[in-house]
Amino acid sequence: MDFTKEIATLIYAAANDTALSIESIVEMIEIPPNPEMGDYAFPCFKFAKAFRKAPPIIAKELCETINHGEFVSDIVANGGYINFFMDKACFAREVLQEIAQKGASYGKSTVGCGQNVLIDYSSPNIAKPFHVGHLRSTMIGNALYNIFNFIGYTSVGINHLGDWGTQFGKMIVAYKKWGDKETVEQEGVKELNRLYVKYHDAAKEQPSMDDEARSWFVKMQTGDDEALQLWKWFTDVSMIEFNKMYERLGVTFDSFAGESFYNDKMEAVVAELKEKHLLVESDGAMIVDLEKYNMPPCLILRRDGGTLYPTRDIAAAFYRKNTYDFSKCLYITALDQNLHFAQWFKVIGEMGYEWEKDLVHIPFGLVSLDTGKLSTREGNVVLMDDLLNEAVAKAANIIDEKNPSLENKQQVAEKVGIGAIVFNDLYNSRIKDVLFSMDKMINFEGETGPYVQYTHARASSVLGKASKVEGSTAQAIDYQLLTDESSVGVFKLLAQFNEKVVDAAYKYEPYIVTRYVVDLAQAFNRFYNENNILNCGDENLKQARLAVVDAVKTVLASGLTLLGIAAPDKM
């Protein structure tokens, strides 16, 4: 039962004479901060104009006319609010039965059925290491991919690899001067990056190297076999390392079509812009004037006729629209790229395509370490692999200390360490900067990934022990035994799961799910501490409380999975 919708229906029927719809009433229903004020509350202020009465009077009159229904035990007017008190046994029954019936599908919906959402995320540069700066785009994109799938959309994950450009001319020069095939095969991206940094240093003293690099890139563009074979090899070597990282992070993509994929698709974009008289010459370059939008011009062609990032992104957008017919195309990149996306989105609109409105830039803040060491210049990078290894090692030490006899300790440490980093990244609104502090992240107390994972493991442990207790066969639940405050607090949160997931999708904010699983874990731990479960002395009461444990375990696992975090059964 969708309790907010049921309450909205009762209000709508009683109000009778209002322009407000059931859907708009649903959006106005609140959860009171104090249970003594009710389980749900509705503010009557928007009825004032239609009723021509003060909100407190409206609340009082509606209270007298609203049909309580099976699931409402009391309705009370309080100022301009109507407070609804649920029939707690009915509430418990509806929530627990639905979760038991649907299992891991609880909270799913079909609101996006038949619609494709494209998500462009991660997108590292070939021949450069996967470093901590790539984490935010990767994990925000992965969470949104999971969340949209969960509510019925078909998510399409695209890794728009940085696999083209003058930097490959530099890489070829560096490799031919100082490289060794065997070393590159053994060391992978680490060696490629070393060569690139060496080129960068040497070119300061020998500027002519840049001319040589440009010459090699021209060869790539004109189809030179040697140039393209080296470029393809650099790409293959890089992808081996990237795929290892994605596997470790639990991230997948449906397409790795990078910048090079659109080389033969930009000419059509330029031709259409010319045909629609949108291209204007400016100092030898070709631009689209965006002055009427208070934006700088969008550069389409350089003076030498070469294309730029906007040209490639516009070509990619047309390809994606034609191939996938998306309802939304999301681009997960740093905040400092806002102008770039705003400009070329407007170019799409100027070309006459109404689906410009379906292109959405999802910006995020900066990432830093508490040690302060985060730089990608001069080859000084914090590698993602190193950060994950540090987190896993710290998790392993804590597990050794707290549960030395745990089976598969290293596998659990991997789940906890990586989960802690991902959880920390997704805990706040994406626009906020993220600080990685190992001591705070790898903490089994507080609002952290390990805390939520440990709560899931605690629920699993209780259920595991229950199955070993003689005579603990499942019985029909007496829901009247689950009307205490801590139990009801858990049910309120369980009932909100779908609402939170939908909210996270439409606001493009995974942190809504992250905060939700923290709240649910905290509510469950209150329930666990206040209620003896296995040794309560009453079989009916035990079975009722075990049903709560099972429901929480199910929803915590679903929430963590949406975030891209493992839910270990033992820790």
Side-chain angles (χ1 to χ4, degrees), residues 432-450:
K432 291 188 177 181
D433 295 344
V434 169
L435 174 68
F436 287 113
S437 168
M438 283 296 171
D439 288 339
K440 291 181 179 177
M441 290 190 299
I442 314 293
N443 192 325
F444 286 68
E445 297 178 1
E447 299 177 356
T448 67

Side-chain angles (χ1 to χ4, degrees), residues 163-178 199 208-232 234 263:
D163 64 353
W164 199 252
T166 54
Q167 70 268 28
F168 288 97
K170 297 177 182 180
M171 273 304 311
I172 292 173
V173 171
Y175 174 72
K176 292 182 76 69
K177 281 184 180 293
W178 309 295
Y199 173 95
S208 62
M209 289 176 60
D210 286 339
D211 293 330
E212 192 178 351
R214 279 190 287 271
S215 174
W216 274 106
F217 182 54
V218 170
K219 289 182 180 181
M220 285 172 55
Q221 292 176 308
T222 55
D224 179 83
D225 283 344
E226 183 184 8
L228 289 177
Q229 283 175 12
L230 285 170
W231 165 74
K232 179 67 164 57
F234 296 154
N263 283 341

Side-chain angles (χ1 to χ4, degrees), residues 492-552:
K492 284 182 184 178
L493 284 164
L494 291 172
Q496 293 176 40
F497 184 45
N498 170 259
E499 174 190 331
K500 294 294 184 182
V501 177
V502 172
D503 199 30
Y506 290 159
K507 291 178 179 175
Y508 312 118
E509 286 284 15
Y511 90 92
I512 293 171
V513 176
T514 315
R515 295 288 179 93
Y516 170 81
V517 294
V518 168
D519 290 344
L520 181 57
Q522 290 173 337
F524 173 74
N525 284 318
R526 283 194 295 272
F527 165 84
Y528 178 87
N529 291 324
E530 293 178 13
N531 295 284
N532 191 320
I533 299 170
L534 296 178
N535 301 306
C536 60
D538 182 319
E539 185 62 24
N540 288 332
L541 183 58
K542 184 178 80 172
Q543 292 300 328
R545 288 175 177 171
L546 283 172
V548 179
V549 177
D550 192 44
V552 170

Side-chain angles (χ1 to χ4, degrees), residues 54-130:
I57 296 174
I58 297 170
K60 186 174 182 299
E61 290 179 351
L62 283 176
C63 274
E64 295 170 354
T65 56
I66 290 176
N67 177 2
H68 281 210
E70 173 197 2
F71 58 93
V72 178
S73 63
D74 198 10
I75 305 176
V76 177
N78 186 353
Y81 286 83
I82 304 173
N83 293 336
F84 293 81
F85 293 82
M86 310 303 293
D87 181 298
K88 293 177 173 54
C90 174
F91 195 27
R93 184 189 72 229
E94 292 291 334
V95 172
L96 293 181
Q97 285 186 351
E98 185 175 1
I99 296 174
Q101 178 186 352
K102 294 184 176 178
S105 294
Y106 175 74
K108 285 187 175 182
S109 62
T110 57
V111 294
C113 187
Q115 299 182 66
N116 297 330
V117 172
L118 268 66
I119 308 175
D120 180 327
Y121 56 110
S122 194
S123 309
N125 291 321
I126 294 298
K128 293 185 180 178
F130 197 103

Side-chain angles (χ1 to χ4, degrees), residues 177-196:
K177 281 184 180 293
W178 309 295
D180 172 75
K181 183 174 183 180
E182 186 177 341
T183 306
V184 172
E185 294 285 1
Q186 289 178 352
E187 299 293 328
V189 171
K190 183 179 179 181
E191 173 64 8
L192 292 178
N193 188 61
R194 186 190 72 81
L195 292 172
Y196 188 79

